[in-house]
Amino acid sequence: MIKLRMTHWGSLLVCLLLFLCGHGQEQVRSIHGTVRGATDRIALSGATVALAGHREIATSTDATGNFSLKIPAGKVEGAIRLVISSIGYQTLEVVLEPHQTELSISLETGTAAMNEVVVTALGINREKKALGYAVTTVKGDEFTQARENNLANALSGKVAGVNAAGLSTGPGGSSRVTIRGNGTLGSDNQPLYVVNGMPIDNSVPGGAPTANGITNNVDRGDGIAGINPDDIESISVLKGGTAAALYGSRASNGVILITTKKGRVQKGIGVEYNSTATLENVAVTPDFQYTYGQGLDGVESTDLNSAQASGRKSWGAPIDGNSNYVAVDGQHHPYTAKKRNLQNFYQTGSTFTNSVALSGGNEKATYRLSAADLKSNGILQNTSYDRKTLNLALNGRLTDKLSIDALAQYNLETGHDRTGAGDALGNPNWTPLEIANTADVRWLKPGYDSNGNEQIWNDASIASNGYFVINKYQENDTKNRFIGQASVAFEPVSNLVFKGTISEDHYNYNYYNILPTGTLYEPNGQYTGLKTDVSETNGLVTASYKTSLTRDLGFSALAGGNTRKYAENRLTLNGLNFTIPYFYSFSNLGSSSTVPYSPRIGTNSIFGSVDLDYKSLLFITISGREDWFSTLSPQNNHIFYPSVGGSFILSDAVRLPEFINYAKLRGSWAQVGGGAPDPYQINLTYSNVASSGPTLQNVTGDANTGANTISNPNLKPYTSTTYEGGFEAEFLNSRLGLDVTYYNRQTTNDIVNTAVSTTSGYGNVILNIGELRNSGIEALLTGKPVRTKNFGWNVSYNVAYNANKVVELAPGLPSIQIANSVGNWAYLDQIVGRPFGTLVGTRMTRDPKTGLVVFNRVTHTPVMTTATQILGNSVAPYTMGLTNDFRYKRFTLSILLDGKFGNKIFSIFELYATRMGKLKSTLPGRVGGLELKGVDQKGAAYDTVITQTGGVLRNYYDNYKTYSELFLHDGSFVKLRQVIFSYQIPAAALKGLKIQSANISFVARNLLILYRQTKNFDPEQSFTNSNAQGFESIGLPRTRTYGLNLSLKL
Amino acid sequence: MMKRKYLYNTTVCLLVVTGFFSCDKGYKELNVNPDAVITPTPAYVFTLAEYDGAGYNGGAYGTSAADFLLGTMQYTTSYNDVAGFGSKYISSQVTQSEASFSAAYPDEINELGIVIKTVKTDPSKVNLLAEARIWRVYCFMRLTDLYGDIPYSQAGLGYDSSVYKPVYDPQQTIYTNLLSELDAAAQSLDASKATFGSSDLIYGGNTAQWMKFAYSLMLRLGMRLTKVDIASAQTWVTKAIAGGVITQDADIAKMSYIATGQNINKNPLVLDLWNNDYIAQNGNTNTEGGKYADTWISYLQSTNDPRLGVLSVVWVNGVPDTVASIQKGMPQNIPNAKPANFVTYSEPNPSTVLLMGSPKLLFTVAESDFLMAEAALRGWYSGASAASLYQAGIEAAMRQWTIIAGSAGTIAPTEIAAYVGNNPLNTSGSFNQQMAQIYTQFWVSIFPDAQEVYNNYRRTGYPALVPNNYPTNATGGQIFRRCLYPISEQNLNAVNYSAAVSRQGPDDLMTRIWWDKQ
């Protein structure tokens, strides 16, 4: 048997060499040239130059826009015709003069799909028409005008089947992107992010916030947040397993391929400058009641004690402007409604982004160096996020046969006072939302007394004074990140390319969070710190070969291997009780502990693929890959998976009616295997527990949640199988385009970390169970209704429906739990027969015969059902986006609407606002009492009036928290997501300034919510990028952003 | 010819691709956590189980039963509704009663399972096994007494037997098993074999004392059965006393703690009280509005109890004052607003009750004495009279504050003698009158172990507390009879939860558990 090891790349290459031994062809004519954009004269890299009628004779332009095409003898009789195509440009066909060997080509912008070239797996450029699966490409400049701090958020609404949502966690927050639904029960379900063919890390240091976390529960930002949009040439979204088969397991949730900009050949130095300034404001104000003010049981607060007891409670007297009212500042105020507490508590946030890029080069080498600075001040005072990015791309063609590419990116990200979500302690958002409605939130300023201790503002010290949190809590984090890539490509004979690439994404992260001395709930303070080094390293070698087997049959093949290493060195620092008050150092703690966690993951892979092209009419791709996972049982740690796909250009094969100018059918089938996302889940281990006395030992808890988890010695790979079919068509001279896809994706043997009853002795268990299915339809409709010299109108509408179903869990296991809310008021479960992420909770019990509410005669409250009632789906099955682009002379206007439909949200803020008497739903019964009518637990009629006396009515409403159904809302929405209004300054006006082009734009994001069912909050109010969606949990309010963008080219 | 070569090469590559070679060298080692061990050390796990079982409650303070039952037994109260569940039984706060259940299983129950599994097959570790079994009885008893039917036989088997949804066993079955476990474990102790030594924070591994602890727990459990199975109660109580219970101060079962450092090393009840209320130490800004309750202070005053000056202070001008005459308990019906005279109410004495490094007494001489007094009263025990045991109990209880707090807790022998002289057991009274005296004194003496007082209150009806009929209470103005199962059990263990509820009665505060039959 052949015994190879992954380190023995040489052997593999020999094998590939044998396999791909070339058959050289006599070269008679060599044609050189450059390809540029017609309007901006930018050199186009990756443009395809092909011999008409012989698509197998083709090349693509390098980073400088140059190409060289060798045309064998006997291929062409008569004039040579070349077809030149590039992403986003109209394809051009040129006829060469008899002896012409050099040419300069200008491509007009356009979007005709038929000859588009797209970036696919491993960074390979392929003609879109040859693909058997759906792929969508978005150009980089779509992200540079109306910016999101986190690039991934900007995908929202742009690509059919991509569900992207920003979180309400402040300026440095994470994103959550899912493609074609949640494909696994256990992993985070987010796509793999790939830069120039190599994966990058997208982890959140120390893990994502949880639904019920406290104090330290902040979103520390994910990996994709570190990418500067100015450096992006294009983004390709590979949606299906087929598209992603070459990336292996982590691609089973789709791949987002980012191609960065490179330098180009030009005289002198090209300079690009881009500047954006935006402001942001709270977008939604809750619809509170302003009939009854601060107080309890119908009585307003008239002294400091009663004000402190009712600081969060609007159960007082009718708001009549009387002057007896005393608030928690101890002062008399008119008893009037304060309707602008949110606006007064939150400020106008601002973000300034400046980036400059220098580029240039000659035939041998090109470079591009960019520097960018993003400064963001959140809507919460003192909250800021700063990101500096330095990016250097070097590309060299050392000889005809040898070229190198290198990319180095350095990021420095600093976050300050990131805002917590979830439970009350240290979450400043509770204050403006829960404060009594006659109190002005600014009366709580500065939140601390002369000693610096938190000032009381309500009856529960766990509900922090928001100003104290703003002014005294401390959170700081710094992330130093380096992304490096280097590759060497060797082309010994034409079209045979060996390529080796090594990449590392490394970051060093330092975080601390201070709960200060003088906090009412924990007067001596707390310290939490996280220091971690994370690296994702990949080594990749490939060999590819491209040839024609016959005149009609093109052939290309690729084989390679990849080795991936993930390593983290984490120290978690926890401490209690600052010995010297108000002095915040890890050295000054009454007790402290330092806990190391050092996960290591390896995945080795080999893969190969073959592409066949028959007359440019029929394309077939076959691939196979084998992965070995370090995180699985040594007995069962590898899996082979194949894929096959094809496309057929119907419009070239048969004569279609005149109005159809392009039609393509495609289909594919693919499997992807995957390992466990975390290491050390095979064996139960034991760790020491922090102790100041005797040695203590327990089961090693989960590094992020602390939960004891039952390990699984038999973990084996899971499998995700996708098939998809679709067609693309263009009509009426490409004025109308349609792209429709149906897909089905099934995940089996899923690896799931699920909550179990704590009576098992453990909080969680790792299971290799279950089957999950996603199937859906995606459609993209594009149109160019108006296309004149001065006025143009393009419209693009994408819509997707994804049906998700948990087909099976383990035998005898009908459901598993993903998350629980603060106070266990609702749960998120996976339930057999239901879609991924079902919200579960309680309802009021109703008499089965009459439908009347069943009351408990002792407590005068509706009887709660068990907490097993299905409330709804947390994930929207329908998503859509509508883009309208208008151009009038030098003005362009781009409007993006997007929407999601069919999901439910459980609102923890509303639950608390109900308890506090702030919602209109708590008004009935304040005068004359509330009649409770129904039946009692024995079925007899029940009819009682409860009043405010003794707090009975207040507690009745307080008890509403035990009925989850009352705080459930439809999460559907339509938003005016993005508006860009640009003016291109005429070149004549810039003549003296040596500026080639200049563009100024008004930009806005999340400007309006056109439709929603949640009257008190923005339906996109998530606070974690984990699977725990479907909870609104008192995070920062969502904002609308607007500002100006200026872009210059020198 | 070219074609054939392709075919050959394709085959070679397919062989490679389909995995005829290993690409996982070093992966087995890579997947080993460098910061953890594969084999547990039973002594270290046992120490943790002692901390957890003695009430550390996973570090989540504020809602442990040990804490809120102080309110229910009317030692403490709070003006604040949120913190007032214990003394006010407020319906909106009933979920606080779930906390002990949630914490116990992943902590002490699972830890003891690990210890027992590790030592049970090694004859030289018989004492380790026995001590773990006895401690396990203590832990399960605390749980079942709060909730009734609970997962027992299948509890903590998530890893060993893949039981993720344990059944709930009837309390009667649990009690039967706990008692026979005590019997078997006590008899298996062997002074000639190895012990946990200093890893045992209760007895330092002393097997004779563990045996006394086992029989004392048997006394406690046996007496628990008086309402439901009087014959068994007598059998077990008799057996326990014959086996030898804790009657000397030196044998008191107590956990030792450290005043500074990690929370886990501190007295958990003190930590709870401290963090919940008394951390500011000014008598005024008590975090959750807590104070001693009027019932408690009034009773100590009415009996001239010398413990009042040891246990209670009033903050006067920023200084804690123990003068008996100024002590005053806070009313238990204050409607959720801080009273203007809040600072004038009594609260726990920081130099006795609130010592973070003080031992927590798990089973005292006083408890043995009072339980044996009842046994004597019932005619099950004749080694001493009920009256003398009653007196011995009071004396032991007064001495034990020296054990807890040293000189600050010391009550002079003359004061003790005066008190017992003024408060003899009324041997001419009826059985119920004597029971009332014994268990009212039990209430005073076992403080601050409110949980054990609550158990005997439910069993005997004494002390005759007047329930707090606070508006919006969840019980119709009655002291609740049990705690609620965690809501999470409805989601994660629905079938077994439902079976327990249909057997025991609604998952409700007023449902009586098996030994508490009406």
Side-chain angles (χ1 to χ4, degrees), chain B residues 487-514:
Chain B
I487 296 178
S488 61
E489 281 290 284
Q490 298 178 19
N491 193 29
L492 295 172
N493 195 7
V495 172
N496 295 317
Y497 167 85
S498 301
V501 169
S502 61
R503 182 171 59 227
Q504 178 171 268
D507 186 10
D508 174 306
L509 291 173
M510 291 311 293
T511 296
R512 285 168 181 258
I513 61 175
W514 168 71

mmCIF file of all heavy atoms in Angstrom, chain B residues 487-514:
data_model
loop_
_atom_site.group_PDB
_atom_site.id
_atom_site.type_symbol
_atom_site.label_atom_id
_atom_site.label_comp_id
_atom_site.label_asym_id
_atom_site.label_seq_id
_atom_site.Cartn_x
_atom_site.Cartn_y
_atom_site.Cartn_z
ATOM 1 N N ILE B 487 -38.490 25.247 36.432
ATOM 2 C CA ILE B 487 -39.269 25.236 35.184
ATOM 3 C C ILE B 487 -38.504 24.489 34.097
ATOM 4 O O ILE B 487 -39.085 23.838 33.239
ATOM 5 C CB ILE B 487 -39.581 26.682 34.730
ATOM 6 C CG1 ILE B 487 -40.476 27.367 35.757
ATOM 7 C CG2 ILE B 487 -40.288 26.686 33.379
ATOM 8 C CD1 ILE B 487 -40.801 28.809 35.420
ATOM 9 N N SER B 488 -37.177 24.555 34.167
ATOM 10 C CA SER B 488 -36.392 23.890 33.126
ATOM 11 C C SER B 488 -36.674 22.394 33.054
ATOM 12 O O SER B 488 -36.545 21.784 31.999
ATOM 13 C CB SER B 488 -34.897 24.130 33.362
ATOM 14 O OG SER B 488 -34.516 23.596 34.603
ATOM 15 N N GLU B 489 -37.095 21.795 34.180
ATOM 16 C CA GLU B 489 -37.424 20.373 34.152
ATOM 17 C C GLU B 489 -38.626 20.102 33.245
ATOM 18 O O GLU B 489 -38.744 19.038 32.659
ATOM 19 C CB GLU B 489 -37.730 19.875 35.567
ATOM 20 C CG GLU B 489 -36.490 19.619 36.388
ATOM 21 C CD GLU B 489 -35.716 18.412 35.881
ATOM 22 O OE1 GLU B 489 -36.136 17.282 36.120
ATOM 23 O OE2 GLU B 489 -34.681 18.619 35.220
ATOM 24 N N GLN B 490 -39.514 21.076 33.135
ATOM 25 C CA GLN B 490 -40.675 20.897 32.258
ATOM 26 C C GLN B 490 -40.238 20.831 30.809
ATOM 27 O O GLN B 490 -40.890 20.236 29.961
ATOM 28 C CB GLN B 490 -41.661 22.052 32.435
ATOM 29 C CG GLN B 490 -42.222 22.150 33.827
ATOM 30 C CD GLN B 490 -43.168 23.335 33.967
ATOM 31 O OE1 GLN B 490 -43.660 23.865 32.985
ATOM 32 N NE2 GLN B 490 -43.419 23.745 35.190
ATOM 33 N N ASN B 491 -39.127 21.497 30.523
ATOM 34 C CA ASN B 491 -38.645 21.500 29.153
ATOM 35 C C ASN B 491 -37.699 20.341 28.892
ATOM 36 O O ASN B 491 -37.727 19.749 27.813
ATOM 37 C CB ASN B 491 -37.947 22.841 28.875
ATOM 38 C CG ASN B 491 -37.698 23.077 27.411
ATOM 39 O OD1 ASN B 491 -38.443 22.583 26.559
ATOM 40 N ND2 ASN B 491 -36.662 23.810 27.091
ATOM 41 N N LEU B 492 -36.889 20.006 29.881
ATOM 42 C CA LEU B 492 -35.815 19.048 29.627
ATOM 43 C C LEU B 492 -36.106 17.643 30.140
ATOM 44 O O LEU B 492 -35.412 16.713 29.793
ATOM 45 C CB LEU B 492 -34.516 19.559 30.270
ATOM 46 C CG LEU B 492 -33.980 20.853 29.677
ATOM 47 C CD1 LEU B 492 -32.817 21.391 30.502
ATOM 48 C CD2 LEU B 492 -33.538 20.641 28.239
ATOM 49 N N ASN B 493 -37.106 17.508 30.987
ATOM 50 C CA ASN B 493 -37.389 16.196 31.565
ATOM 51 C C ASN B 493 -38.898 16.054 31.759
ATOM 52 O O ASN B 493 -39.386 15.684 32.814
ATOM 53 C CB ASN B 493 -36.646 16.057 32.907
ATOM 54 C CG ASN B 493 -36.579 14.623 33.396
ATOM 55 O OD1 ASN B 493 -36.976 13.697 32.687
ATOM 56 N ND2 ASN B 493 -36.086 14.432 34.617
ATOM 57 N N ALA B 494 -39.625 16.388 30.686
ATOM 58 C CA ALA B 494 -41.068 16.598 30.790
ATOM 59 C C ALA B 494 -41.826 15.362 31.269
ATOM 60 O O ALA B 494 -42.690 15.451 32.130
ATOM 61 C CB ALA B 494 -41.609 17.064 29.445
ATOM 62 N N VAL B 495 -41.492 14.207 30.728
ATOM 63 C CA VAL B 495 -42.278 13.008 31.031
ATOM 64 C C VAL B 495 -42.146 12.638 32.514
ATOM 65 O O VAL B 495 -43.139 12.398 33.205
ATOM 66 C CB VAL B 495 -41.819 11.837 30.128
ATOM 67 C CG1 VAL B 495 -42.472 10.539 30.564
ATOM 68 C CG2 VAL B 495 -42.137 12.150 28.674
ATOM 69 N N ASN B 496 -40.911 12.636 32.990
ATOM 70 C CA ASN B 496 -40.691 12.244 34.390
ATOM 71 C C ASN B 496 -41.204 13.306 35.358
ATOM 72 O O ASN B 496 -41.702 12.994 36.434
ATOM 73 C CB ASN B 496 -39.211 11.964 34.627
ATOM 74 C CG ASN B 496 -38.745 10.770 33.830
ATOM 75 O OD1 ASN B 496 -39.437 9.754 33.773
ATOM 76 N ND2 ASN B 496 -37.605 10.897 33.173
ATOM 77 N N TYR B 497 -41.077 14.564 34.928
ATOM 78 C CA TYR B 497 -41.635 15.645 35.729
ATOM 79 C C TYR B 497 -43.140 15.442 35.901
ATOM 80 O O TYR B 497 -43.679 15.500 37.005
ATOM 81 C CB TYR B 497 -41.324 16.986 35.049
ATOM 82 C CG TYR B 497 -42.097 18.159 35.584
ATOM 83 C CD1 TYR B 497 -41.640 18.861 36.701
ATOM 84 C CD2 TYR B 497 -43.293 18.557 34.995
ATOM 85 C CE1 TYR B 497 -42.360 19.938 37.202
ATOM 86 C CE2 TYR B 497 -44.015 19.624 35.484
ATOM 87 C CZ TYR B 497 -43.545 20.315 36.591
ATOM 88 O OH TYR B 497 -44.261 21.383 37.083
ATOM 89 N N SER B 498 -43.807 15.177 34.779
ATOM 90 C CA SER B 498 -45.268 15.026 34.825
ATOM 91 C C SER B 498 -45.666 13.830 35.684
ATOM 92 O O SER B 498 -46.650 13.887 36.418
ATOM 93 C CB SER B 498 -45.829 14.839 33.418
ATOM 94 O OG SER B 498 -45.489 15.946 32.634
ATOM 95 N N ALA B 499 -44.887 12.756 35.582
ATOM 96 C CA ALA B 499 -45.208 11.573 36.393
ATOM 97 C C ALA B 499 -45.110 11.909 37.880
ATOM 98 O O ALA B 499 -45.961 11.504 38.679
ATOM 99 C CB ALA B 499 -44.257 10.436 36.037
ATOM 100 N N ALA B 500 -44.084 12.659 38.244
ATOM 101 C CA ALA B 500 -43.915 13.034 39.647
ATOM 102 C C ALA B 500 -45.067 13.915 40.110
ATOM 103 O O ALA B 500 -45.613 13.731 41.202
ATOM 104 C CB ALA B 500 -42.579 13.758 39.842
ATOM 105 N N VAL B 501 -45.464 14.858 39.260
ATOM 106 C CA VAL B 501 -46.540 15.776 39.636
ATOM 107 C C VAL B 501 -47.854 15.011 39.778
ATOM 108 O O VAL B 501 -48.622 15.250 40.707
ATOM 109 C CB VAL B 501 -46.641 16.909 38.593
ATOM 110 C CG1 VAL B 501 -47.905 17.722 38.810
ATOM 111 C CG2 VAL B 501 -45.413 17.811 38.673
ATOM 112 N N SER B 502 -48.089 14.060 38.883
ATOM 113 C CA SER B 502 -49.373 13.361 38.983
ATOM 114 C C SER B 502 -49.378 12.429 40.199
ATOM 115 O O SER B 502 -50.431 12.142 40.755
ATOM 116 C CB SER B 502 -49.688 12.599 37.692
ATOM 117 O OG SER B 502 -48.709 11.641 37.449
ATOM 118 N N ARG B 503 -48.213 11.995 40.642
ATOM 119 C CA ARG B 503 -48.150 11.129 41.809
ATOM 120 C C ARG B 503 -48.231 11.934 43.113
ATOM 121 O O ARG B 503 -48.956 11.618 44.031
ATOM 122 C CB ARG B 503 -46.837 10.337 41.768
ATOM 123 C CG ARG B 503 -46.654 9.353 42.900
ATOM 124 C CD ARG B 503 -45.434 8.480 42.633
ATOM 125 N NE ARG B 503 -44.232 9.297 42.497
ATOM 126 C CZ ARG B 503 -43.330 9.152 41.520
ATOM 127 N NH1 ARG B 503 -43.483 8.225 40.587
ATOM 128 N NH2 ARG B 503 -42.276 9.933 41.479
ATOM 129 N N GLN B 504 -47.476 13.030 43.134
ATOM 130 C CA GLN B 504 -47.311 13.771 44.385
ATOM 131 C C GLN B 504 -48.374 14.840 44.593
ATOM 132 O O GLN B 504 -48.685 15.205 45.717
ATOM 133 C CB GLN B 504 -45.918 14.419 44.387
ATOM 134 C CG GLN B 504 -45.614 15.269 45.597
ATOM 135 C CD GLN B 504 -44.147 15.680 45.632
ATOM 136 O OE1 GLN B 504 -43.327 15.020 46.223
ATOM 137 N NE2 GLN B 504 -43.839 16.777 44.961
ATOM 138 N N GLY B 505 -48.892 15.357 43.460
ATOM 139 C CA GLY B 505 -49.823 16.482 43.525
ATOM 140 C C GLY B 505 -49.229 17.635 42.752
ATOM 141 O O GLY B 505 -48.074 17.583 42.337
ATOM 142 N N PRO B 506 -50.032 18.698 42.548
ATOM 143 C CA PRO B 506 -49.583 19.802 41.708
ATOM 144 C C PRO B 506 -48.224 20.353 42.143
ATOM 145 O O PRO B 506 -47.913 20.350 43.338
ATOM 146 C CB PRO B 506 -50.675 20.857 41.892
ATOM 147 C CG PRO B 506 -51.845 20.138 42.434
ATOM 148 C CD PRO B 506 -51.344 18.917 43.139
ATOM 149 N N ASP B 507 -47.445 20.814 41.176
ATOM 150 C CA ASP B 507 -46.139 21.417 41.470
ATOM 151 C C ASP B 507 -46.407 22.814 42.016
ATOM 152 O O ASP B 507 -46.335 23.809 41.311
ATOM 153 C CB ASP B 507 -45.298 21.450 40.193
ATOM 154 C CG ASP B 507 -43.882 21.930 40.464
ATOM 155 O OD1 ASP B 507 -43.509 22.038 41.642
ATOM 156 O OD2 ASP B 507 -43.172 22.206 39.488
ATOM 157 N N ASP B 508 -46.706 22.844 43.298
ATOM 158 C CA ASP B 508 -47.321 24.005 43.911
ATOM 159 C C ASP B 508 -46.732 24.132 45.309
ATOM 160 O O ASP B 508 -46.308 23.143 45.899
ATOM 161 C CB ASP B 508 -48.824 23.659 43.919
ATOM 162 C CG ASP B 508 -49.726 24.626 44.616
ATOM 163 O OD1 ASP B 508 -49.483 24.956 45.801
ATOM 164 O OD2 ASP B 508 -50.708 24.999 43.986
ATOM 165 N N LEU B 509 -46.696 25.332 45.813
ATOM 166 C CA LEU B 509 -46.072 25.554 47.115
ATOM 167 C C LEU B 509 -46.836 24.885 48.254
ATOM 168 O O LEU B 509 -46.281 24.627 49.315
ATOM 169 C CB LEU B 509 -45.952 27.053 47.405
ATOM 170 C CG LEU B 509 -44.962 27.838 46.552
ATOM 171 C CD1 LEU B 509 -45.086 29.324 46.846
ATOM 172 C CD2 LEU B 509 -43.531 27.369 46.796
ATOM 173 N N MET B 510 -48.129 24.655 48.062
ATOM 174 C CA MET B 510 -48.927 24.118 49.162
ATOM 175 C C MET B 510 -49.106 22.599 49.112
ATOM 176 O O MET B 510 -49.708 22.009 50.009
ATOM 177 C CB MET B 510 -50.295 24.805 49.205
ATOM 178 C CG MET B 510 -50.229 26.270 49.611
ATOM 179 S SD MET B 510 -49.232 26.589 51.102
ATOM 180 C CE MET B 510 -50.238 25.789 52.359
ATOM 181 N N THR B 511 -48.605 21.966 48.068
ATOM 182 C CA THR B 511 -48.690 20.506 48.013
ATOM 183 C C THR B 511 -47.782 19.908 49.087
ATOM 184 O O THR B 511 -46.632 20.313 49.224
ATOM 185 C CB THR B 511 -48.270 20.017 46.612
ATOM 186 O OG1 THR B 511 -49.196 20.521 45.665
ATOM 187 C CG2 THR B 511 -48.240 18.502 46.547
ATOM 188 N N ARG B 512 -48.318 18.961 49.836
ATOM 189 C CA ARG B 512 -47.512 18.373 50.905
ATOM 190 C C ARG B 512 -46.706 17.196 50.384
ATOM 191 O O ARG B 512 -47.209 16.387 49.605
ATOM 192 C CB ARG B 512 -48.419 17.920 52.052
ATOM 193 C CG ARG B 512 -48.924 19.094 52.882
ATOM 194 C CD ARG B 512 -50.044 18.676 53.818
ATOM 195 N NE ARG B 512 -50.513 19.837 54.576
ATOM 196 C CZ ARG B 512 -50.154 20.065 55.857
ATOM 197 N NH1 ARG B 512 -49.372 19.224 56.498
ATOM 198 N NH2 ARG B 512 -50.615 21.131 56.481
ATOM 199 N N ILE B 513 -45.480 17.120 50.856
ATOM 200 C CA ILE B 513 -44.645 15.989 50.472
ATOM 201 C C ILE B 513 -45.014 14.782 51.331
ATOM 202 O O ILE B 513 -45.758 14.900 52.298
ATOM 203 C CB ILE B 513 -43.148 16.349 50.588
ATOM 204 C CG1 ILE B 513 -42.782 16.718 52.016
ATOM 205 C CG2 ILE B 513 -42.822 17.502 49.638
ATOM 206 C CD1 ILE B 513 -41.300 16.968 52.223
ATOM 207 N N TRP B 514 -44.460 13.620 50.971
ATOM 208 C CA TRP B 514 -44.890 12.354 51.558
ATOM 209 C C TRP B 514 -44.867 12.356 53.087
ATOM 210 O O TRP B 514 -45.861 12.042 53.732
ATOM 211 C CB TRP B 514 -43.993 11.231 50.995
ATOM 212 C CG TRP B 514 -44.134 9.924 51.716
ATOM 213 C CD1 TRP B 514 -45.208 9.067 51.673
ATOM 214 C CD2 TRP B 514 -43.178 9.333 52.587
ATOM 215 N NE1 TRP B 514 -44.970 7.974 52.457
ATOM 216 C CE2 TRP B 514 -43.725 8.111 53.032
ATOM 217 C CE3 TRP B 514 -41.904 9.703 53.029
ATOM 218 C CZ2 TRP B 514 -43.040 7.259 53.900
ATOM 219 C CZ3 TRP B 514 -41.216 8.857 53.882
ATOM 220 C CH2 TRP B 514 -41.789 7.656 54.318
#
